[in-house]
Amino acid sequence: MSARTARDRARRRLRLPSWTATLRWKAALFIMVMCCFLASVLGILVHVLVSRQTEHQARDAALVRLDSVVASYVAGEPLGRDARLDPPELPPALRDMARRGERGTQLGQLRDGRPVMWAVTPADGKALAVGQDYSQRATVISGLDQAIIGSAAVAITLTLIVGLYATRSVTRRLHRTAQVARRISTGDLDARVDDPRAQRPEYARDETAAVAAALDAMAASLQSKLHSEQRFTADVAHELRTPLTGLHAAAELLPPGRPTEMVQERVQAMRRLTEDLLEISRLDAEVERADLDVHRLGPLAERAVRGTGQEAEVRVVRDCEVETDQRRLERVLGNLVVNAHKHGRPPVVLTVDGPVVTVRDHGDGYPDELLAEGPQRFRSRPKNGRKDGGHGLGLTIAVGQARVLGTTLRFSNAPDGGAVAELTVHPPRTDRRAADGGPAAEDRDGGRAAEDGGDGAASRDAGAP
């Protein structure tokens, strides 16, 4: 196993849950870390200052007691229970100081483990030491440390709760902005954030409100430009219909001949382009509504291929009933077949497998930009280097009509070459309820498919008559 593979596995094992990437979790972590840091710094400072002050007081008290013991020692009086000569518990550093003729203090311990503050001074070559109990002061410092830790934990918890509550409104507004942005990206140009801080001037505008206001302004501008483009396309196409009708009538009056045929062909192409532009403008305006009814998909696909006037093989692997708009579905399938002939190579095969219809040619396949971005109007790759590659409106109309039908249209390339368009049509509502777990729908296709071919598959040529 390579080192890179090992690192990748280690990263997968150490991957944090997705919720840790949220802004709220990061804000909570930042607040907690900063509170812990501040509490630690303040706790250490208080502990050091109080410990030094307590120890300094204990040293002063031990030195005062040492002066009293020295006076008693000189006078030959008893030293007291806390004073002795060369006690065995005396720290070596203090013993050395006494031998050098110096006096000093040091915090140490007795044999039973109790803390004691030692004060020592030289006396006849020995160390006269006073040991004052330090247990009470140590208990006070320990209690102070516990109070610091407890108060820090309470402060961190309260600050974390307040911080989470404060960031909740910000993250909620950001989530709202993200949802609106996703709706706009899917085509809902009427979606707006409408953040109150951006709408009301009396509110102070923060960064979240600025983002929301910018998104709303962008959506409004985009909607206005798209509506202007749609109106322009519809107006141009509508205005072209009248002169094209007259031009078509005039072309019919020309004497027979090749020039007349060329003129009529160009006029017919312009009329088709105008009708396509009008259809696209209606689809962009989202005013089209599907007239749904139940149809058998196999015969409907054959009728769509015959209507194109192109040769294509129709393979009905598994026929079924679907709920769709016959005219619109024939328009989608017809455009796919025509596009396969125009930009691909025969044979063109249309396959019906249940509610899925696949149109495939055996050409060079779809270009990469179409697979990545989808069909684009007026962007069409010429076939075999010719300039008459089309206007790129056929697939655009197919996608728009599929959206009106509520179906799914996908484009891909076959592994062995050729473009593949896959259309998934909705079954009737009763079949959809059965697929969702409701009562099973009656199988109306099995017996008929068995009669058609034994294995439920059929293949027919639906080319032009």
Side-chain angles (χ1 to χ4, degrees):
M1 183 175 61
S2 63
R4 184 175 181 180
T5 303
R7 288 196 298 269
D8 293 340
R9 290 185 177 180
R11 289 172 183 171
R12 286 195 293 267
R13 286 196 299 267
L14 296 176
R15 184 176 297 173
L16 296 175
S18 58
W19 59 267
T20 58
T22 61
L23 179 61
R24 191 177 185 186
W25 186 89
K26 291 180 180 179
L29 179 62
F30 175 77
I31 292 172
M32 185 172 63
V33 170
M34 292 303 300
C35 287
C36 291
F37 175 75
L38 293 176
S40 300
V41 171
L42 293 177
I44 292 173
L45 289 176
V46 172
H47 173 81
V48 170
L49 291 176
V50 173
S51 297
R52 286 183 178 180
Q53 183 178 6
T54 303
E55 187 174 342
H56 181 71
Q57 293 175 352
R59 291 179 188 275
D60 291 342
L63 290 175
V64 171
R65 175 57 181 160
L66 180 63
D67 291 338
S68 175
V69 170
V70 169
S72 299
Y73 179 78
V74 173
E77 297 177 356
L79 300 180
R81 299 178 57 184
D82 57 347
R84 286 175 290 172
L85 288 173
D86 287 334
E89 300 90 352
L90 188 66
L94 289 181
R95 196 183 303 275
D96 294 339
M97 290 180 62
R99 290 176 180 176
R100 292 195 304 268
E102 300 175 358
R103 57 185 291 173
T105 58
Q106 183 178 348
L107 185 61
Q109 286 185 346
L110 298 177
R111 291 180 178 178
D112 57 3
R114 289 183 296 125
V116 62
M117 177 62 72
W118 292 103
V120 66
T121 188
D124 298 332
K126 296 182 180 181
L128 179 60
V130 173
Q132 289 198 328
D133 188 14
Y134 197 78
S135 300
Q136 185 176 1
R137 289 186 171 89
T139 302
V140 172
I141 295 176
S142 177
L144 177 64
D145 292 341
Q146 294 178 1
I148 291 175
I149 294 174
S151 59
V154 173
I156 291 172
T157 302
L158 292 178
T159 306
L160 184 61
I161 294 174
V162 173
L164 288 175
Y165 180 78
T167 58
R168 180 172 175 267
S169 61
V170 176
T171 55
R172 186 174 63 249
R173 292 161 60 198
L174 288 177
H175 281 304
R176 165 68 177 167
T177 304
Q179 291 174 357
V180 172
R182 284 191 290 268
R183 290 172 56 189
I184 293 174
S185 65
T186 57
D188 185 7
L189 298 181
D190 294 326
R192 296 293 185 272
V193 181
D194 293 333
D195 194 303
R197 292 182 179 271
Q199 298 292 329
R200 298 182 181 180
E202 64 269 16
Y203 283 178
R205 178 177 293 190
D206 56 4
E207 289 79 2
T208 306
V211 172
L215 181 63
D216 288 346
M218 181 196 70
S221 175
L222 181 62
Q223 187 179 38
S224 176
K225 291 180 180 179
L226 287 178
H227 286 171
S228 298
E229 179 184 350
Q230 292 169 5
R231 286 194 299 270
F232 175 77
T233 303
D235 292 343
V236 168
H238 182 74
E239 293 298 327
L240 285 176
R241 296 179 73 178
T242 301
L244 283 176
T245 302
L247 187 60
H248 176 73
E252 294 293 333
L253 300 177
L254 293 176
R258 182 56 185 164
T260 300
E261 293 178 359
M262 294 178 62
V263 171
Q264 291 175 349
E265 289 176 359
R266 294 299 91 190
V267 171
Q268 188 64 27
M270 291 187 65
R271 293 186 67 182
R272 286 196 300 267
L273 175 59
T274 303
E275 295 299 327
D276 288 346
L277 288 175
L278 282 173
E279 186 173 358
I280 287 178
S281 65
R282 291 193 298 268
L283 292 173
D284 289 342
E286 297 183 353
V287 297
E288 296 286 309
R289 295 294 181 267
D291 184 12
L292 300 179
D293 200 357
V294 178
H295 304 273
R296 296 198 67 82
L297 189 56
L300 194 151
E302 295 174 356
R303 189 163 47 249
V305 173
R306 285 196 299 269
T308 63
Q310 304 284 347
E311 291 188 359
E313 180 185 358
V314 178
R315 298 176 181 175
V316 182
V317 178
R318 181 167 54 94
D319 198 1
C320 69
E321 288 188 349
V322 294
E323 186 176 18
T324 186
D325 187 324
Q326 175 181 340
R327 179 183 65 85
R328 297 183 189 279
L329 185 59
E330 290 181 359
R331 175 69 160 155
V332 174
L333 297 180
N335 281 13
L336 295 178
V337 172
V338 170
N339 182 80
H341 277 281
K342 182 178 293 187
H343 300 286
R345 286 191 295 270
V348 176
V349 180
L350 187 149
T351 304
V352 177
D353 188 1
V356 180
V357 183
T358 304
V359 178
R360 178 187 175 181
D361 60 53
H362 291 76
D364 298 330
Y366 293 117
D368 295 336
E369 58 269 17
L370 186 145
L371 297 178
E373 303 174 6
Q376 303 293 323
R377 62 193 68 176
F378 298 108
R379 285 178 57 185
S380 178
R381 182 178 63 180
K383 178 182 178 182
N384 300 327
R386 298 185 306 177
K387 295 183 179 180
D388 56 345
H391 303 285
L393 300 181
L395 293 184
T396 303
I397 293 175
V399 172
Q401 293 290 4
R403 184 171 60 248
V404 174
L405 293 174
T407 58
T408 304
L409 181 58
R410 297 187 180 92
F411 301 97
S412 62
N413 290 328
D416 55 345
V420 179
E422 182 182 277
L423 180 69
T424 303
V425 192
H426 291 306
R429 288 189 176 90
T430 55
D431 295 343
R432 272 183 274 174
R433 286 197 296 267
D436 294 337
E442 180 182 358
D443 186 1
R444 291 164 290 192
D445 304 329
R448 186 174 305 173
E451 294 175 1
D452 288 341
D455 58 352
S459 177
R460 293 183 287 273
D461 186 6

